[in-house]
Structures are given as structure tokens and as C-alpha cells.
């Protein structure tokens, strides 16, 4: 490879969330390095099991997809391109602050925004659905009336994807 440049290496395997790693050639001395050890990790995506999409974040009380979130949603797009028979649910969750009715509506709007983005990248709408869970599936003890730190609340504000199991299984 040329001595200068950034190379994106893409690894995929059926039923795994693919991974891209970047190698910057200028970071290596050709006099000292003949080989670059590269490890690409991919997460297994099992039917019906939720998988957190990292960094799909929203501003407080908003449901507009942020630029940083598009990186992770693009991983979902790639997964769906690599697995053309797979159908996916995108689920959005909130923390317990605000009313449960408000949180349910907000999480559904966030799920819809995520779905709309994925569809805008060429994925058929009949392969992806969005579901807002509001504050119904908290990952910790931070329910109504429990004093928690911002970091603890943040754990519950998440977006997940799961493969929808075929009905004949």
C-alpha cells in the first residue's frame, strides 16, 4: 500500500453486526513494521435479542437525529444490507423523568426518527419498525421517586435494535 493514506477495512459475517476499522499508513514505519496486526470484532445478532446502538443520542426533549448518531445508524444500515432477509425493530427508551405519557410519546418519536433515517439510506420500510418503550424497561433502579445521578439516568436513555424473529420459528 502507499505510505500515506487512511484505509477502511470492513469485516462482515452473516448474522453479525459488521465492523469497520481504519488503518492510517503514516502511523507505521516501513523500516520497522512489515505487518499490521488487526482485530475486527463483530457482535452476534440473535433473533429477538436486543442489541444497543451506541451513541444514538438525542437532545433533551428532542427527536431529531444528530450527526454523531448517524454513524451508528449507518452500522445498522450496513447490517441490513449485508443480511437482506432480516427485519429489524428499533426501540427507543427514556429515563423516568417527565410523565410516563410524555416519555412514551417522546420515545416513539425517537424510534420513528431512527426508522426514517434508515429508510432514507435505502432500506425498505417493510423491513424496519420503530417502537417507543418510554420508561417501561429501565436498566437500573432509577424509577419515579428514586434519586439518581445524571449518569444513572443516562443509562436508561438508549436506542436498541433487535432482529424480528420469523414467524415460523
Amino acid at each position: 500500500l502507499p505510505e500515506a493514506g487512511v484505509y477502511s477495512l470492513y469485516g462482515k459475517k452473516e448474522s453479525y453486526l459488521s465492523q469497520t476499522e481504519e488503518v492510517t499508513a503514516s502511523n507505521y514505519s516501513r523500516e520497522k513494521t512489515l505487518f499490521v496486526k488487526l482485530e475486527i470484532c463483530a457482535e452476534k445478532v440473535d433473533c429477538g435479542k436486543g442489541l444497543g446502538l451506541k451513541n444514538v443520542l438525542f437532545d433533551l426533549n428532542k427527536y431529531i437525529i444528530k450527526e454523531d448518531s448517524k454513524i451508528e445508524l449507518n452500522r445498522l444500515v450496513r447490517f441490513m444490507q449485508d443480511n437482506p432477509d432480516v427485519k429489524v425493530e428499533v426501540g427507543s427508551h427514556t429515563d423516568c423523568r417527565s410523565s410516563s405519557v410524555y416519555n412514551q410519546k417522546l420515545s416513539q418519536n425517537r424510534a420513528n426518527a431512527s426508522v426514517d433515517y434508515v429508510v432514507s439510506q435505502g432500506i425498505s420500510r417493510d423491513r424496519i419498525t420503530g417502537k417507543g418503550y418510554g420508561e417501561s424497561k429501565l436498566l437500573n433502579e432509577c424509577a419515579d421517586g428514586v434519586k439518581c445521578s445524571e449518569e444513572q439516568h443516562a443509562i436508561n436513555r438508549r436506542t436498541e435494535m433487535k432482529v424480528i424473529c420469523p414467524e415460523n420459528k
Side-chain angles (χ1 to χ4, degrees), residues 79-110:
F79 171 76
M80 295 184 78
Q81 291 168 337
D82 290 346
N83 297 277
D85 296 328
V86 165
K87 293 184 179 184
V88 168
E89 175 192 283
V90 174
S92 289
H93 304 262
T94 65
D95 61 33
C96 70
R97 296 177 291 183
S98 294
S99 73
S100 60
V101 171
Y102 176 83
N103 284 336
Q104 180 61 42
K105 183 176 179 181
L106 179 62
S107 67
Q108 186 62 55
N109 286 336
R110 288 175 173 177

Side-chain angles (χ1 to χ4, degrees), residues 60-73:
L60 185 63
N61 297 324
K62 304 272 192 237
Y63 52 90
I64 296 169
I65 301 290
K66 297 171 78 169
E67 285 303 312
D68 291 350
S69 298
K70 291 178 181 179
I71 296 167
E72 193 70 3
L73 288 171

Side-chain angles (χ1 to χ4, degrees), residues 90-149:
V90 174
S92 289
H93 304 262
T94 65
D95 61 33
C96 70
R97 296 177 291 183
S98 294
S99 73
S100 60
V101 171
Y102 176 83
N103 284 336
Q104 180 61 42
K105 183 176 179 181
L106 179 62
S107 67
Q108 186 62 55
N109 286 336
R110 288 175 173 177
N112 293 344
S114 297
V115 167
D116 289 344
Y117 177 79
V118 170
V119 169
S120 78
Q121 301 304 300
I123 300 299
S124 175
R125 190 170 291 278
D126 66 352
R127 293 184 57 211
I128 185 166
T129 60
K131 180 157 176 65
Y133 289 95
E135 59 187 81
S136 67
K137 295 188 175 192
L138 300 174
L139 295 177
N140 57 25
E141 70 283 351
C142 295
D144 289 335
V146 176
K147 185 175 170 94
C148 292
S149 69

